[in-house]
Amino acid sequence: MTRLVVVGNGMAGARLVSEVRARDPRIRITVFGAEAGRPYNRALLSNVLAGTMTPGQVRMLDAEWYADHAVTALPGVEVTAIDREAREVLTACGRREPYDVLVLATGGEAVVPPLPGAERAVAFRTMGDCEAILAAAGTARRTAVVGGGLLGVEAARGLAGRGLPVTLLHLAGHLMERQLDAEAGLVLGESLAGLGVEIRTGVTVREILDDGVRLAAGTGTAPGTAGAAASPSGTGESGAAGEEVVEADLVILACGVRPVTRLARDAGLAVARGVVVDDEMRTGDPSIFAIGECAEHDGVVYGLVAPAWEQAAVVAGLVTATDRTARYRGSRLVTRLKARGVELAAMGETHLTEDEAEIVRFSHRTRGVYRKLVIRDGRLVGAILLGETPAVGTVTRLFDHGGPLPADRAGLLFPGLAGGAADSPVRMPDTARVCQCNNVTKGRIRSCWESGARDVAAVAAATRATTGCGSCRDAVEGIVGWLCEQEGIPA
């Protein structure tokens, strides 16, 4: 009997366990988790912070599931070493667990910059972090979020939605600079400002204080500006040598994530930024795989849900021999912002210029709208869609499948125009992928509905749609509602 050991019980590890067990009831599975308690959907923690979901709603497999499926789950048990010669993992409590196949799903850890007073801040990465932030927010007067990437934006918006004054501090010149160009970052910042988040870009944090954050002198921009130094914004006071202190009695760090690779490195496996794997997600040791945020495939470390779950499916197919040809070829990433009042999707090569590609762009700053298509050789290679737009599904499908574009490019940004493709369930083909994380098409949702899944919860149970990043929920609701309407059934 094959002995499968999984180190890591987060989104990648838990998904692998469920995939393997669904394919083979005989494999002996043991899974170790560094965090105590049930695995949870880390991508939805921002919803917990915002109060739109409870911690229980983002939990995944429970003790009853493990018992029913003959899986030995050891949450809160840390694996400290891999003995490759003996094919065993060693734990902090002295347990030695033998394996035939070992899968590393150790994930990532929050980057905590080496700042004086960093211990006074709370990183936003785990369920424990989320609970600590919510507890502190109950008595906090002001909050500062350090880091204006995806997670920092979601955290700032979530806390502002709870009525807490929030200042978002970001080193780069505009928010989410990895996914957005400068104009999109500016429009996003203005949209957040309208929702109660003060934006300070181009700032350098020097120190975390008991009552705020000290910024380097002469850095930062005022809300609604780009590139110019600003004087103190009114939320802070002047510090030594012209430095500014932004007042905050709760400081949250959202400064990025790094892969957890110590186990692999100590075991002599190849590690670059992450644990180096091939198209089978296999390391240099043929009995050891790596998936999720800790894995580096073809020079890329993926930090989103969909790639981790695609990788888990590949490894499950190989380990159970149900798909010996399974290979991972990389993922086409679509970043969706989960923040109430802000709609954002960004994908592909968004930073190319007119000299490098055909650019189609529309901006309406006062309405918080920015739309951009990046086209090369007649194919969509990148896009930014900020603000409410019915074009998200159509554009995402064109990017995902690489199909030829219509001659009327503007029709893609404005689906109501001639030549545009409206994104309603009526016009959406059955092959359209609705849930990117779980590869669920409209046709599959229709099939589930016809089999009796008449609401979103039932569709989610049957297909896993909406259980990844959650951004497809509105689309799934629209399809289910449309199907019910066609048959005269109350949704």
Side-chain angles (χ1 to χ4, degrees):
M1 178 186 299
T2 300
R3 297 168 299 182
L4 169 63
V5 172
V6 182
V7 180
N9 200 23
M11 296 186 69
R15 181 58 167 250
L16 174 70
V17 168
S18 63
E19 288 270 0
V20 169
R21 186 50 85 225
R23 297 164 186 249
D24 190 330
R26 300 178 308 277
I27 288 180
R28 175 180 164 184
I29 304 175
T30 302
V31 56
F32 294 90
E35 295 182 60
R38 290 166 53 192
Y40 54 88
N41 187 330
R42 199 183 305 277
L44 298 178
L45 285 182
S46 57
N47 293 345
V48 176
L49 205 62
T52 59
M53 299 183 77
T54 66
Q57 288 176 308
V58 303
R59 296 284 183 184
M60 297 165 67
L61 308 178
D62 58 19
E64 183 177 352
W65 187 93
Y66 290 119
D68 290 345
H69 293 82
V71 173
T72 301
L74 299 169
V77 178
E78 180 187 5
V79 173
T80 56
I82 301 168
D83 185 336
R84 290 171 54 190
E85 185 174 350
R87 288 196 175 186
E88 294 178 335
V89 296
L90 290 68
T91 71
C93 59
R95 179 181 181 127
R96 300 181 72 92
E97 185 71 27
Y99 66 83
D100 298 306
V101 176
L102 174 63
V103 179
L104 301 178
T106 49
E109 61 186 358
V111 173
V112 178
L115 293 171
E119 70 280 358
R120 300 185 178 99
V122 182
F124 182 32
R125 173 65 182 166
T126 68
M127 178 67 78
D129 297 335
C130 189
E131 291 170 344
I133 291 169
L134 290 175
T139 57
R141 291 175 290 106
R142 290 197 63 88
T143 296
V145 177
V146 180
L150 178 66
L151 198 59
V153 168
E154 291 181 347
R157 172 62 185 116
L159 290 173
R162 289 178 174 267
L164 193 63
V166 179
T167 302
L168 180 56
L169 306 170
H170 192 44
L171 177 64
H174 66 271
L175 299 178
M176 294 182 61
E177 73 281 0
R178 291 185 179 181
Q179 295 87 11
L180 306 182
D181 61 21
E183 187 172 359
L186 177 61
V187 176
L188 174 61
E190 292 173 341
S191 297
L192 291 170
L195 296 169
V197 180
E198 181 182 356
I199 308 298
R200 300 291 303 279
T201 56
V203 298
T204 300
V205 173
R206 290 296 188 207
E207 184 179 6
I208 309 295
L209 308 172
D210 287 331
D211 58 353
V213 178
R214 186 182 303 281
L215 306 180
T219 67
T221 59
T225 67
S231 59
S233 65
T235 62
E237 57 188 22
S238 295
E243 293 181 340
E244 177 189 351
V245 174
V246 175
E247 292 180 0
D249 43 11
L250 170 59
V251 179
I252 299 168
L253 298 178
C255 302
V257 177
R258 66 167 65 93
V260 176
T261 60
R262 182 190 59 79
L263 270 179
R265 190 185 303 276
D266 290 350
L269 299 173
V271 173
R273 183 170 168 229
V275 183
V276 177
V277 296
D278 59 17
D279 288 354
E280 293 185 340
M281 303 308 296
R282 205 183 299 262
T283 68
D285 185 326
S287 65
I288 302 178
F289 298 79
I291 61 173
E293 286 181 307
C294 73
E296 179 175 328
H297 174 266
D298 199 21
V300 180
V301 175
Y302 295 94
L304 298 177
V305 179
W309 287 356
E310 291 171 14
Q311 293 166 5
V314 168
V315 174
L318 295 171
V319 169
T320 62
T322 55
D323 186 358
R324 297 180 186 275
T325 64
R327 300 292 186 272
Y328 180 69
R329 305 299 187 188
S331 298
R332 295 174 67 80
L333 297 184
V334 179
T335 300
R336 298 294 293 267
L337 178 66
K338 299 176 295 299
R340 253 183 324 181
V342 182
E343 297 288 334
L344 170 63
M347 60 204 79
E349 302 176 70
T350 59
H351 293 87
L352 296 182
T353 67
E354 281 83 354
D355 293 334
E356 302 168 297
E358 176 188 349
I359 306 295
V360 182
R361 183 189 291 109
F362 172 80
S363 180
H364 191 176
R365 284 176 53 182
T366 59
R367 295 291 300 273
V369 174
Y370 181 81
R371 303 173 187 174
K372 177 181 180 180
L373 303 178
V374 183
I375 302 163
R376 189 165 50 197
D377 299 327
R379 299 292 195 272
L380 185 69
V381 298
I384 299 172
L385 300 171
L386 175 58
E388 186 175 355
T389 172
V392 172
T394 298
V395 171
T396 301
R397 287 193 297 277
L398 287 169
F399 170 74
D400 191 47
H401 296 295
L405 302 183
D408 179 14
R409 314 297 205 211
L412 292 174
L413 295 182
F414 303 94
L417 296 180
D423 225 24
S424 73
V426 180
R427 294 176 180 265
M428 188 183 296
D430 276 356
T431 56
R433 188 189 301 186
V434 178
C435 177
Q436 299 290 324
C437 298
N438 290 287
N439 193 25
V440 181
T441 63
K442 176 195 169 185
R444 190 172 172 199
I445 293 172
R446 181 201 292 272
S447 177
C448 288
W449 185 90
E450 291 172 347
S451 298
R454 299 302 169 87
D455 57 29
V456 174
V459 170
T463 67
R464 290 175 168 167
T466 76
T467 64
C469 71
S471 62
C472 66
R473 185 174 183 85
D474 288 346
V476 174
E477 286 179 346
I479 293 170
V480 171
W482 170 70
L483 289 168
C484 290
E485 182 182 350
Q486 301 307 299
E487 298 295 328
I489 299 172

